[in-house]
């Protein structure tokens, strides 16, 4: 058996059509194809999932209960798998104590360095850790922030407590904490908050714990009452270490303001640690530097004892700079990093890994990168490979596809029309087969474009958020404006921090997941499912609610889920198709009711295109045609929203906006996850929005979208403190003549 190839037999995960394929190891392999073709199903849901599952099975039963629970993918067999490491775009957590420095371990080396050669000597390395009692600021407990409640959000001063004056969800009317507060008689529950005296308000919100008289007679388990705002502030601080879901954490955090700690100034460290210096700088000042400035600082340190420490820190910093995040600082909280930034930070850590014959799996590592930084990315991918590893990448960037040593093209189209291997081989052979990817690499079928000039403008004056340097610029109304520039140049700061706050009516359309519930689907999202159920009700003279798997029509055994879940305690839970409804979600009586010889389950199994041909109702067709217009005709009506890619989710959101007029739309790197052909389709969709006199503002690195724009605002010239300036605003064809613009340099090649 050839051990240099991964052999896959009969992969049929999601839309994959019984794929048999051999993939070379120890090469840079790119998986490409149109959005929804099945690339991720093959690489992530099949290859990576099986590699992880087999690795987890080598651990004890006790250990497996504390590890991810992975079901066996739909594949007969996979041979010659290596241990797999995924480097994805998932955020690196929302723990307030985790920073770029702690995540990359550069902080570890800096702490060792300061403990050895810093002056004055104060003790071992943990004396410089803001996560250790000996190093953290005693006031903020190492968070660097003071957490203060926003009373304007927290209280509705027009209402009394009984009426729901406290807006925090923990104190909603009828809840336990609300009932407890009502029973304690600490303040008058029937008096509007606006009528409270300062003393009464302070008692309710900020009082220190005091004993409750006759606590046993009250609706409480506590003997002491503490101001509710004070108690919640403490709870937020206590949850800083949590890795809870963002939406759960927001129940606390959205009601609070975060201000720099008045004692440590946001450095997180106590006074003792803040007074130690090395070459004139404290460790807090060093962590505040951008990485591109920190590296020269470390290179200037000449200390024989510390050379091994310095070498490790310098190496890690060099990787971070080369991969395109040199504008970050070590103190930057990981929760504030974008998906692309998180992925690149994770990637840099692997360069210090000495394990070989690993399988690295990456999901579009070029996301968020300026074309300039893509070249550095490719160098790093090849370095990972050259260490004796296999590097498998899902990617749409044409430069990375061309640089690959092996290409797997999945298609030919999306959804049920995809899931096949169109091409499997070396890059030069791609043009010999019928392939959408190959056609676009050869620049076939590119759309033409016509500029639309704006006649009036939105003004941004003297913007200075983050690294912006009193920026002023104009955004034309009713056209497509692209905000460009290298990573960290200030694009997001300009639009999200400045423009969006000036225009709160602006609609942000991103690639975030629409929903996590398996019960929501494309039909319910756009509102067409209600119309379909009414059609069935009219044809069968039955109640419309019968045709909902979330209501009366649900299969009683699986409760409309279509699957049964069995918990096996110490072993992984198992999901099986419901044997009563056979996965159709409805009870048998509902499935006997038909419209044009189809039951409701048959309709939900139709694609959007098939449904548009099946239904004659103009109202239903109107909704379905919108989905077709945004390129989602291949989606099944009943497909769960949780299974959609970021690009599909974004297009579904756009579908609901397509016929509206006069709005402002903001999109941040909307081409993420889109194939070259899908980018062309996306451009046509955007132009439809512009045609309806909508203002569309896109933060983008993709050169094909940039050259189609009606207006360009280019920021730079570099990232971080070397950016934050508007170096060009005007037409794309004029940008290529701007010598300062890095974007113009690369745009010249495609315009």
């Amino acid at each position: 058996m050839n051990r240099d190839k991964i052999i896959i037999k009969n992969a049929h995960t999601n839309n994959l059509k019984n794929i048999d394929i051999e993939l070379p190891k120890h090469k840079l392999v790119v998986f490409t194809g149109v959005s929804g073709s099945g690339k991720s199903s093959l690489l992530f849901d099949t290859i990576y999932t099986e590699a992880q599952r087999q690795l987890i099975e080598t651990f004890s039963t006790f250990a497996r209960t504390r590890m991810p629970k992975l079901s066996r993918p739909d594949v007969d067999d996979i041979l010659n798998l290596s241990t797999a490491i995924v480097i994805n775009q998932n955020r690196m957590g929302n723990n307030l104590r985790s920073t770029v420095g702690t995540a990359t371990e550069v902080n570890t080396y800096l702490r060792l360095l300061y403990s050895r050669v810093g002056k004055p000597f104060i003790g071992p390395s943990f004396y410089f850790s803001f996560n250790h009692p000996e190093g953290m600021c005693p006031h903020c407990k190492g968070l660097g922030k003071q957490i203060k409640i926003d009373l304007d959000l927290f209280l509705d001063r027009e209402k009394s407590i009984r009426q729901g004056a406290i807006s925090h969800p923990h104190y909603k009317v009828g809840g336990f904490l609300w009932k407890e507060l009502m029973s304690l008689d600490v303040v008058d529950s029937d008096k509007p908050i606006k009528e409270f005296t300062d003393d009464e308000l302070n008692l309710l919100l900020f009082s220190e714990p005091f004993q409750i008289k006759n606590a046993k007679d009250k609706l409480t388990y506590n003997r002491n009452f503490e101001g509710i705002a004070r108690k919640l502030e403490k709870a937020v601080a206590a949850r800083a270490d949590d890795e809870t879901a963002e939406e759960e954490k927001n129940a606390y955090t959205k009601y609070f303001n975060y201000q720099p700690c008045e004692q440590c100034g946001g450095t997180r460290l106590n006074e003792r640690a803040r007074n130690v210096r090395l070459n004139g700088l404290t460790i807090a000042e060093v962590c505040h530097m951008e990485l591109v400035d920190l590296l020269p600082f470390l290179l200037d340190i000449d200390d024989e004892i510390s050379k091994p420490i310095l070498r490790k820190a310098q190496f890690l910093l060099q990787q971070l700079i080369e991969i395109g995040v040199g504008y970050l600082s070590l103190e930057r909280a990981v929760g504030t990093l974008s998906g692309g930034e998180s992925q690149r930070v994770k990637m840099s850590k692997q360069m210090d890994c000495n394990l070989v014959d690993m399988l690295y799996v990456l999901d579009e590592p070029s996301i968020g990168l300026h074309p300039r930084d893509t070249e550095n990315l490719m160098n790093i991918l090849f370095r990972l490979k050259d260490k004796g590893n296999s590097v498998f990448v899902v990617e749409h960037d044409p430069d990375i596809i061309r640089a690959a040593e092996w290409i797997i093209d999945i298609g030919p189209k999306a959804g049920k029309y995809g899931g096949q291997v169109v091409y499997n081989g070396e890059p030069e052979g791609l043009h010999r087969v019928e392939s959408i990817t190959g056609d676009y690499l050869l620049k076939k079928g590119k759309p033409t474009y016509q500029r639309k000039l704006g006649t009036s403008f939105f003004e941004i004056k003297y913007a200075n958020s983050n690294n912006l340097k009193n920026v002023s610029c104009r955004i034309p109304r009713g056209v497509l404006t692209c905000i460009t520039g290298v990573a960290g140049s200030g694009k997001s700061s300009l639009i999200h921090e400045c423009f969006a706050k000036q225009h709160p009516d602006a609609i942000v359309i991103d690639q975030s997941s629409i929903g996590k519930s398996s019960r929501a689907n494309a039909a319910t999202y756009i509102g067409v499912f209600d119309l379909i159920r009414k059609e069935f009700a009219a044809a069968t003279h039955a109640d419309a609610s019968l045709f909902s798997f979330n209501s009366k029509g649900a299969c009683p055994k699986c409760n409309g889920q279509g699957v049964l879940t069995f918990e096996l305690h110490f072993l992984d839970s198992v999901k099986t198709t419901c044997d009563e409804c056979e996965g159709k979600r409805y009870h048998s009586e509902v499935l006997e009711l038909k419209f044009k010889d189809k039951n409701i389950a048959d309709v939900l199994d139709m694609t959007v295109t098939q449904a548009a041909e099946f239904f004659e109702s103009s109202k239903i067709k109107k909704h379905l045609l919108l989905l077709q217009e945004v390129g989602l005709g291949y989606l099944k009506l009943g497909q769960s929203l949780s299974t959609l890619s970021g690009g599909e989710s974004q297009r579904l959101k756009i579908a609901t906006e397509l016929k509206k007029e006069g709005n402002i739309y903001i999109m941040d790197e909307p081409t993420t996850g889109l194939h070259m052909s899908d980018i062309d389709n996306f451009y046509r969709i955007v132009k439809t929005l512009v045609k309806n006199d909508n203002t569309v503002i896109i933060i983008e690195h993709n050169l094909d979208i940039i050259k189609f724009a009606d207006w360009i605002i280019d920021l730079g010239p570099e990232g971080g403190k070397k950016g934050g300036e508007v170096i060009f605003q005007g037409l794309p064809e004029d940008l290529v003549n701007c010598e300062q613009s890095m974007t113009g340099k690369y745009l010249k090649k495609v315009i």
Side-chain angles (χ1 to χ4, degrees):
M1 183 184 296
N2 189 348
R3 301 289 182 185
D4 290 329
K5 291 184 177 180
I6 295 174
I7 301 170
I8 301 170
K9 298 180 179 180
N10 193 27
H12 48 282
T13 307
N14 300 328
N15 68 330
L16 298 181
K17 294 184 172 59
N18 308 100
I19 287 178
D20 294 318
I21 192 171
E22 295 184 0
L23 308 173
K25 298 172 76 172
H26 311 119
K27 289 184 181 293
L28 173 60
V29 180
V30 169
F31 293 69
T32 189
V34 299
S35 304
S37 61
K39 308 180 295 297
S40 295
S41 295
L42 180 59
L43 180 54
F44 289 94
D45 299 339
T46 303
I47 299 173
Y48 173 71
T49 298
E50 180 62 7
Q52 283 296 96
R53 190 187 69 83
Q54 291 194 22
L55 178 64
I56 289 171
E57 284 190 351
T58 65
F59 293 91
S60 68
T61 301
F62 177 79
R64 293 204 319 264
T65 63
R66 288 156 173 79
M67 302 178 86
K69 297 182 179 182
L70 300 173
S71 301
R72 180 180 175 86
D74 294 327
V75 61
D76 287 359
D77 206 358
I78 304 181
L79 305 177
N80 304 330
L81 270 177
S82 301
T83 302
I85 295 176
V86 67
I87 306 176
N88 55 27
Q89 294 172 38
N90 294 344
R91 303 293 176 91
M92 300 172 70
N94 49 32
N95 189 326
L96 294 179
R97 297 189 178 279
S98 183
T99 65
V100 171
T102 61
T104 58
E105 298 184 353
V106 176
N107 264 28
T108 302
Y109 298 114
L110 283 181
R111 290 192 285 108
L112 281 168
L113 187 65
Y114 270 79
S115 68
R116 290 189 178 185
V117 296
K119 302 296 181 187
F121 174 79
I122 62 171
S125 64
F126 59 77
Y127 275 45
F128 297 91
S129 171
F130 50 76
N131 289 325
H132 193 282
E134 291 291 348
M136 67 174 55
C137 168
H139 187 65
C140 65
K141 306 299 181 186
L143 292 179
K145 302 175 185 290
Q146 291 175 284
I147 301 168
K148 299 295 183 184
I149 200 156
D150 187 338
L151 293 181
D152 292 331
L153 286 177
F154 189 70
L155 295 175
D156 184 344
R157 297 175 186 270
E158 298 297 320
K159 294 180 180 178
S160 66
I161 294 171
R162 187 180 300 278
Q163 295 170 323
I166 304 170
S167 59
H168 195 282
H170 289 187
Y171 288 88
K172 66 180 179 181
V173 175
F176 176 79
L177 291 180
W178 176 84
K179 290 178 180 177
E180 180 187 60
L181 185 59
M182 293 282 292
S183 76
L184 295 179
D185 297 323
V186 173
V187 293
D188 187 347
S189 300
D190 292 304
K191 184 162 70 174
I193 299 295
K194 66 181 181 181
E195 297 178 9
F196 276 34
T197 64
D198 290 345
D199 288 343
E200 288 174 327
L201 195 60
N202 190 66
L203 178 66
L204 173 68
L205 298 174
F206 302 110
S207 62
E208 302 217 3
F210 63 87
Q211 193 169 12
I212 306 261
K213 295 179 181 178
N214 302 319
K216 290 183 179 179
D217 300 329
K218 308 291 186 182
L219 184 64
T220 182
Y221 296 114
N222 302 310
R223 294 187 180 274
N224 294 319
F225 175 82
E226 183 178 9
I228 58 176
R230 173 189 168 97
K231 187 164 69 173
L232 285 170
E233 287 173 355
K234 288 165 64 177
V236 174
R239 289 167 68 91
D241 302 11
D242 288 355
E243 294 291 349
T244 50
E246 194 66 34
E247 57 268 24
E248 183 181 340
K249 218 165 194 177
N250 280 344
Y252 286 94
T253 57
K254 76 178 192 180
Y255 294 93
F256 295 84
N257 295 316
Y258 294 84
Q259 302 163 353
C261 173
E262 59 190 21
Q263 284 197 14
C264 69
T267 64
R268 302 171 177 248
L269 296 168
N270 59 33
E271 187 176 6
R272 178 176 60 187
R274 296 199 308 269
N275 286 332
V276 178
R277 295 182 178 273
L278 176 60
N279 284 5
L281 296 179
T282 68
I283 192 170
E285 291 169 335
V286 167
C287 289
H288 184 68
M289 287 181 169
E290 292 183 5
L291 302 183
V292 289
D293 297 323
L294 175 56
L295 182 59
F297 170 78
L298 293 182
L299 290 170
D300 284 341
I301 297 172
D302 186 17
D303 183 82
E304 196 66 30
I305 299 175
S306 304
K307 277 188 177 180
I309 301 169
L310 286 165
R311 275 199 301 270
K312 294 289 285 187
Q314 290 162 3
F315 176 81
L316 289 170
L317 287 172
Q318 188 65 49
Q319 307 313 307
L320 288 162
I321 293 167
E322 286 185 11
I323 211 163
V325 290
Y327 56 88
L328 297 178
S329 63
L330 295 179
E331 67 180 8
R332 176 83 172 265
V334 296
T336 66
L337 301 181
S338 68
E341 289 170 334
S342 297
Q343 185 179 44
R344 292 194 285 281
V345 169
K346 295 174 196 173
M347 198 184 307
S348 70
K349 291 176 64 177
Q350 297 304 321
M351 301 307 300
D352 196 35
C353 177
N354 292 320
L355 296 173
V356 297
D357 202 25
M358 305 292 287
L359 171 60
Y360 286 99
V361 178
L362 292 93
D363 187 11
E364 296 200 65
S366 66
I367 285 174
L369 286 183
H370 192 273
R372 180 196 64 176
D373 298 315
T374 303
E375 296 176 11
N376 292 331
L377 169 66
M378 286 189 285
N379 291 333
I380 288 176
L381 292 176
F382 276 106
R383 283 168 57 190
L384 277 175
K385 188 266 300 185
D386 292 340
K387 292 173 72 173
N389 303 304
S390 307
V391 181
F392 288 7
V393 181
V394 169
E395 190 55 81
H396 294 116
D397 186 281
D399 292 330
I400 294 180
I401 296 173
R402 293 189 186 99
E405 297 173 294
W406 199 266
I407 291 177
I408 316 293
D409 191 27
I410 306 294
K413 296 183 179 180
K416 70 177 242 179
Y417 306 107
Q420 303 175 50
V421 177
V422 175
Y423 180 74
N424 177 28
E426 295 179 339
E428 53 266 26
L430 182 60
H431 70 276
R432 300 192 195 103
V433 300
E434 275 196 38
S435 162
I436 296 174
T437 302
D439 288 346
Y440 274 81
L441 284 174
L442 295 171
K443 302 294 184 183
K444 296 180 182 177
K446 303 300 286 185
T448 58
Y449 58 96
Q450 185 174 358
R451 301 267 185 259
K452 181 181 178 183
L453 300 179
T455 55
S456 61
F457 294 83
F458 296 105
E459 299 277 348
I460 300 176
K461 293 184 178 180
Y462 311 116
N464 54 20
S465 179
N466 298 324
N467 69 329
L468 296 178
K469 298 173 180 151
N470 291 320
V471 163
S472 297
C473 60
R474 301 193 306 164
I475 297 176
R477 300 173 187 265
V479 306
L480 169 61
T481 297
C482 269
I483 314 299
T484 64
V486 299
S489 59
K491 304 182 296 295
S492 295
S493 297
L494 180 68
I495 299 305
H496 292 295
E497 297 293 325
C498 301
F499 181 82
K501 288 183 177 179
Q502 292 177 16
H503 302 277
D505 55 331
I507 301 165
V508 178
I509 302 178
D510 57 19
Q511 295 200 4
S512 60
S513 174
I514 293 174
K516 297 179 180 178
S517 172
S518 60
R519 294 182 176 276
N521 54 47
T524 59
Y525 184 80
I526 65 168
V528 75
F529 194 42
D530 288 340
L531 299 174
I532 290 173
R533 290 193 292 110
K534 287 177 181 178
E535 284 282 303
F536 268 85
T540 60
H541 306 290
D543 188 341
S545 61
L546 275 176
F547 301 100
S548 170
F549 52 74
N550 295 322
S551 187
K552 295 179 181 179
C555 167
K557 189 168 185 177
C558 65
N559 196 28
Q561 294 277 14
V563 295
L564 301 172
T565 303
F566 299 95
E567 298 291 341
L568 301 181
H569 300 290
F570 285 102
L571 299 176
D572 296 349
S573 60
V574 175
K575 288 186 177 182
T576 62
T577 302
C578 176
D579 56 351
E580 184 160 324
C581 68
E582 298 179 340
K584 294 180 179 179
R585 298 184 166 208
Y586 293 91
H587 63 68
S588 56
E589 294 176 7
V590 176
L591 296 176
E592 291 174 2
L593 301 173
K594 295 187 177 181
F595 172 74
K596 294 172 67 174
D597 294 327
K598 300 287 185 182
N599 62 39
I600 189 68
D602 295 332
V603 169
L604 287 176
D605 198 47
M606 291 179 177
T607 66
V608 170
T609 300
Q610 290 170 331
E613 295 171 355
F614 178 77
F615 288 102
E616 296 174 3
S617 165
S618 58
K619 290 182 178 179
I620 293 176
K621 282 183 176 291
K622 179 182 175 183
H623 285 81
L624 296 176
L625 288 173
L626 286 175
L627 291 178
Q628 288 181 295
E629 198 168 340
V630 297
L632 296 178
Y634 61 88
L635 286 185
K636 288 186 176 181
L637 290 183
Q639 184 172 338
S640 170
L641 295 183
S642 61
T643 67
L644 301 185
S645 68
E648 289 168 335
S649 296
Q650 184 178 51
R651 280 179 283 165
L652 188 54
K653 295 173 187 176
I654 292 175
T656 64
E657 305 288 338
L658 209 54
K659 299 303 179 184
K660 297 180 180 178
E661 299 179 0
N663 288 330
I664 304 170
Y665 296 102
I666 296 173
M667 306 181 198
D668 198 341
E669 297 191 56
T671 60
T672 298
L674 296 185
H675 186 266
M676 290 167 278
S677 62
D678 297 310
I679 289 172
D680 284 352
N681 187 47
F682 173 78
Y683 164 72
R684 295 184 183 99
I685 294 167
V686 167
K687 279 300 188 181
T688 301
L689 289 172
V690 170
K691 189 178 178 181
N692 292 338
D693 290 325
N694 294 293
T695 301
V696 182
I697 302 168
I698 296 179
I699 300 170
E700 190 55 82
H701 292 294
N702 186 282
L703 295 174
D704 283 332
I705 291 294
I706 294 171
K707 77 177 184 181
F708 292 151
D710 301 312
W711 191 258
I712 301 286
I713 298 175
D714 192 48
L715 280 83
E718 297 288 337
K721 70 178 185 181
K722 295 180 180 177
E725 302 176 31
V726 172
I727 57 178
F728 176 84
Q729 50 183 324
L731 302 177
E733 49 265 36
D734 294 330
L735 176 61
V736 301
N737 299 317
C738 178
E739 294 183 2
Q740 272 189 294
S741 174
M742 195 62 65
T743 306
K745 175 184 172 184
Y746 287 89
L747 186 62
K748 190 180 292 185
K749 299 177 182 179
V750 299
I751 201 166

